[in-house]
Amino acid sequence: RVEPSKGVLGPRGSATCSIELRVELQTGKAEEGGSGGESLRKMFEILVDGSKAGIIDVSAIISRSALELLQVDGKGRLGDLDFGTLFFEEERYIDALLVNDSPDECEVRSSVHVEVRPNDNDAEPNIVVVQPAEATLAPYQQLPIRFLYRPRRPAQKKGFRSQQQEVYLEEHTAEISIAGVVDRVLSAAQIRAVGTARTMSVELGCGEIRFGNCRAGASVDVVTSLRNKDPALPIHFTVPRVAQFKLRPATGKILALQTLEIIASFTPNALGEHSAVLNFVCNNGAHHLSLPVYGFCDGLAEARQAPVRGPTAQPADFLPKFSFKESEARAIPVNQTKHPTLRGPQPDIPAWVKHPLPKGQGSVGDAYSCTVEELQNRQKHKAEVAEYLKTQHRKHFGRRAMYEDSPEYQLGPANTTKDDYGGFALNMGMKGCEGLRPPPLSLPKTPDPLHRAKIEYVPKLKVRQFDENRLLSTKFPSEAESKADRMACLQKLDPSTMREISVYPESLVFGDVSFGVGVSKSFAVQNGTKSAIRIVLTVPPAEEGDETRYFPVRVTPAAQVIPSGSIAGFDIEVKADVLREIDGELKYSINDCHFFNLRVQARPVPVHLKLEPATRTFTFGIQSTDMFVYETVMIHNKGSSDVEYAWVAGRCFQALLPRGIVEAGSVQDSIIRYTPGESVRAEETMTLRIMGGEDMFMTCVGECTPSKLSCLPPMLDFGTQIIGLRHQARAVLKNAGPGPAAFAIECFVKDMDREAVAQGLSLTVTPRIGGIQPGHSQELIFTLYTKVPLSVGSKADANRAPPVHITIRGAPPIKMNMKAEIISPDLEILTDEINFGQVSVGSSAFQPLRIKNKSAVSARISFDFSRNKEFTVQVPDALIPEDDGSLPEHEPSPEDEVEGSTVRPIQALVRGGGEIELIVAFTPSFAREGLGASLLSAVTKGSTTRSLELPISLSGLLSRELPANLKRALRRVVRAVATKAHVQLNLPSPADFGKRVVVTQQLADKNFCYTIPFEIRSLEKFAQTCTIKLVGDKDAPLGRPSITGGIFQISGPIELGHPPPPLVDGNVEASTIIPPTGTVAFYLSFCPRAPRPYDCTMEVSLKHGTGAAVDSNLKFVVNGEGMSPAIHFDRNEVVIPTVPLGITSTANFYLVNAGFDNLFVRLLFADSLPVTLSFPEGQTLSVAKNRLRVEAKFHSKKPISLSTRAYFLDSDDNAFSITIMAVADNSLLTNFPYWRMGEGRVEV
């Protein structure tokens, strides 16, 4: 398709001598699976005045534009993705190719939506991921893309059921969309992905392994098992190496529902206790199992025997050597006839072992010595043990001994069968063990070890580093809340548990503290035990009569119950009120069973501040007109602690920062402001209160020059005004004193009419503060605004405080009263009804509107037709009020915000006691469409009835803010009936000629004009008489340019389809008869004579038959603007490429002719710059040569960056300029584009 399909060409050299054609090609959607590549060719024939003038040959190749997902192996498109089944926390991916099957670049983005079954589980984010998620594809580019599936383990719930390793399964379904814009068309590739995730179910045969004693160089082996309880998936496991312990096999694979025996070995190479945790990493970290192992090494093993080598070696010599640990029941012979014994679930730990006594730990003399009381306690304990053993023997007498690895021991003799899987194990869900076992034998706790003397042992807490100067915000309750915590806080802790509690610091040293100032430090306690503990800090009370003891310490809080694994802080505050050294101990206890001391030391020192200067003088400059003056004083803190201070404000002197803290050993500036009062000199003593010290004093002396200001008039008189407008009153301040004066003005309206204050009464002044030199004066403008009637200044207001206070520097203030009478105007609309009757679309109808002002003051009214733009009000120029700033700022109503209207209301002035007449105009645009919510429309037989309330109000007020009586007086209804149009014009309103070059007198004498053709088509089945008339004013004369010097003219009728000639003979009026459903054409001409805007009105009158009355009257606005000939440029600025020093850089730009017939262009440019301008094609612009090339060359031997302007002059010395910029430098970063372009040819 070629646009435009027809047009008009002007003569050579005119602005319309050429026309630009636009060829548009539209293609349909390619078929599914099509490869594209189709060719298209079409010929267009150009006819000029009916004869063939040329041919446009259009050819194109249509290519397919789409996004495709292909398999990596090239077997075709990628179908649905099936990731199969895997465990939670595992990953599986599928690779594919994303192909941009289009000749254009494409930006693609991916989006994934995942659904989870069962529905009661929420999908974790990033279960299915597309890598990369965003990319830019070149034409026909293939991009490798990866779809990653990584299900996350569901959150584990609390409770006994969640501790069971039950299999949990989730099915995931993902909808993957990869979308991109290809050739301005949205293309997308859709694909579906499914996957199943399940919980890994793997189990160790034991909860922990205790190897017991083993000598260095030897080994002890224990057999355990690892079972895969999943019915479908295998498990790969890996166990990292751990010192002293070994696991065989350390890596492996367990199929579904299979059990693997694993041998754990303890091979110590150092003496002492050894413990570790063997971590089973399953499926690359998808699941972890922990197996604690313990062992003890007490000596060196015997020398190993050399292995048998050579021909004498037997097959058994090559087998791995194990030293499996036997249970204690097998290692110790059991008397089957007398007293059989039962062992607990850990056979390697006997029920009763007499440990050897440690040496050198006794509290007195010999470790084996004891007192009589201790010996009696031992004998009593031995009797308790003997009674316990007898009871256990009697309970189990007669039963044969059972070993831990026998089926009878695990299931009992009656339940032993060969069909039990896993070696007679019955798993009841109890962690840490397998099978049912009898309860272990337990002994009562011994208060002291047997055969040992009593040893005094004081537990010592661990010390962990904390910042004692940072108070911990974490605070816990003082009493336990749960039953378990209450029981734990009553338990006595053993030494090993006490070592899990950390405190810091061991003692609190505050150092030097200020007298009377509280200083706090933190005492931190960390609970590393498995249960809660209760810490209580107490301050020892002072004994009566003990005056030497002084300990002013406060603890906050006094007690806390610290949960397991938490850190709590106690705030220790020291505040000394006497200069006496503080040294004492706080008592703190753990669970009210263990008691410790915390030493607190501090040394109170007196506050040592110095205030400089002791006397500060405040003076104003000779020519200063400021109301305030500021001075700075310095506060020195020579002590070793921070000091807090506060200023006491005076009458004329105040501190900008009334409170502050001076750090130890520092100086702080304090700014004091002096506000002069009525006298020229003020002297006050300011007090600086020191927290914890004595007050300090500073003498402040302020002086200013005397001021003598007078204000005329002494009272503000606003007179009688109307509501809704801003009214001004003026006053003059005159300085009659010898020096400069400063003033500040405050206005008070809160004591006036309460209703007016509630409705937004305001009184402002400009300027509010300022200064006046001697012999000069300052005008004050007071502005009063109110929405309701207001009366101020009557005798009843005599007792009220003056609303205006003028504070004068160094002189008594001036108080001004105010007088104002703000009334609501008495307006009346004399027109009872505004009825336009029937008006055809496009034409206009007018109705008079008479308004009378019965009040003595002038009133300003406004009409807001912004929501009903078919109506308007025509106001004579004499009634248009001047814009004197009395209207408040325009605030759009909520209706305007909905409609988006920014049209300001139409203003009119109604003088006091006068009457005005306005014209309400109605110009319907659409016969069957209403234009506002407040407009009532009724469609009847091709016409539309419009009814609305006249939108009239006082200027500055909304209609809802009017007084009730005025609102009723201004209420009127506007009615009109819009009928269909009789004719149709293809001319817009306003008809705009745009900017046109001014026509010279020589061309104007030949009637040269710019023309716009337009057509009038009849919509009726009968003939109509059409009359077109131009109506203008003295600024835009009408008629022929050669005779009347007219700017606008009308000519016609003319034949349709003919181009308008440049020389037109027209007139102010044209008339013709339009046949039924016929069309006539006219020319509208424009001949600007000066560079300024012009406008006029074109009226189109229609009559049905000869001599009939006017049926319709259409009005159109015609405007245009004349412009002087100019020189334009093809760009906004000329940027010469950046080059190194000594290299010449060149840039070209063009001058464009805009209205000159023949012009010799002159250049005005600085010769001192390293830039030269030349005209390779000459310096003449004409109608034939519309563009002129200019060449700019830049060459510099020094680093320079310049920006200048070049001026081109016409014959009248009018200048047209353009900016020229250039840079020369030897920096590699600055000249990077130059090096890049000359790569391979430039040496650095």
Side-chain angles (χ1 to χ4, degrees), residues 832-902:
D832 294 336
E833 185 179 13
I834 305 175
N835 192 350
F836 289 92
Q838 294 186 354
V839 183
S840 59
V841 173
S843 61
S844 301
F846 307 93
Q847 288 291 332
L849 178 64
R850 297 171 58 198
I851 302 175
K852 184 177 182 180
N853 185 3
K854 298 180 181 181
S855 55
V857 295
S858 300
R860 293 175 62 170
I861 58 176
S862 63
F863 299 87
D864 186 7
F865 287 102
S866 58
R867 302 188 63 219
N868 305 297
K869 298 180 181 179
E870 293 180 326
F871 296 90
T872 185
V873 174
Q874 298 178 0
V875 181
D877 295 341
L879 300 180
I880 298 177
E882 298 180 358
D883 188 7
D884 53 0
S886 60
L887 283 178
E889 295 295 333
H890 177 64
E891 297 181 359
S893 62
E895 295 82 2
D896 294 338
E897 296 178 359
V898 173
E899 298 292 335
S901 173
T902 58

Side-chain angles (χ1 to χ4, degrees), residues 53 113 185 205 252 363 386 474 588 595 792 1010 1057 1084 1156 1171 1175 1223 1227:
H113 175 69
V185 179
S363 59
T474 304
Y588 69 95
F595 299 92
V792 180
Y1010 303 100
L1084 187 59
F1156 289 105
V1171 178
F1175 298 88
V1223 177
S1227 172

Side-chain angles (χ1 to χ4, degrees), residues 471-472 474-476 522-525 556-557 560 562 567-571:
L471 301 182
L472 299 181
T474 304
K475 298 293 187 292
F476 297 98
S522 178
F523 175 67
V525 180
T556 306
Q560 295 188 65
I562 310 175
I567 302 175
F570 294 85
D571 299 341

Side-chain angles (χ1 to χ4, degrees), residues 541-550 580:
E543 299 180 0
E544 296 183 0
D546 187 5
E547 298 181 354
T548 60
R549 179 176 176 80
Y550 179 66
R580 184 183 301 177

